[in-house]
Amino acid sequence: MTRAAFFPLVVACSLAASGPLRAQPADVAGLALYEGADRGQRLVKGALAEREINLYSSLVLEDLNALAAAFDKQYGVS
């Protein structure tokens, strides 16, 4: 999986919390399958509303920190 495809997947998975601005589990499944031109914008909007993501990975700490820093720099979400 490429990094470009990985970030939207991470963001979509982070939207599973409840609340008026947060996606419900059924919405997450629909968003994961959504292929419209505005998919990236929808993912970023949801992530910005959350302001936090949880990423579970087997990456070594240095690589994970670099990934988190790049993601935070681009989207302002940690």
Side-chain angles (χ1 to χ4, degrees):
M1 180 178 289
T2 65
R3 284 187 182 182
F6 181 71
F7 285 121
L9 177 62
V10 170
V11 174
C13 291
S14 72
L15 298 175
S18 63
L21 295 177
R22 299 175 183 179
Q24 296 297 319
D27 296 335
V28 173
L31 184 57
L33 298 174
Y34 181 73
E35 295 181 2
D38 63 338
R39 182 175 191 270
Q41 292 171 337
R42 287 182 176 195
L43 293 172
V44 170
K45 181 180 176 183
L48 291 173
E50 289 287 324
R51 302 295 306 161
E52 179 179 75
I53 65 169
N54 293 310
L55 173 64
Y56 300 94
S57 173
S58 62
L59 290 172
V60 294
L61 186 57
E62 294 81 17
D63 292 342
L64 187 58
N65 287 339
L67 177 67
F71 190 85
D72 189 41
K73 181 180 179 183
Q74 183 168 353
Y75 296 106
V77 178
S78 349

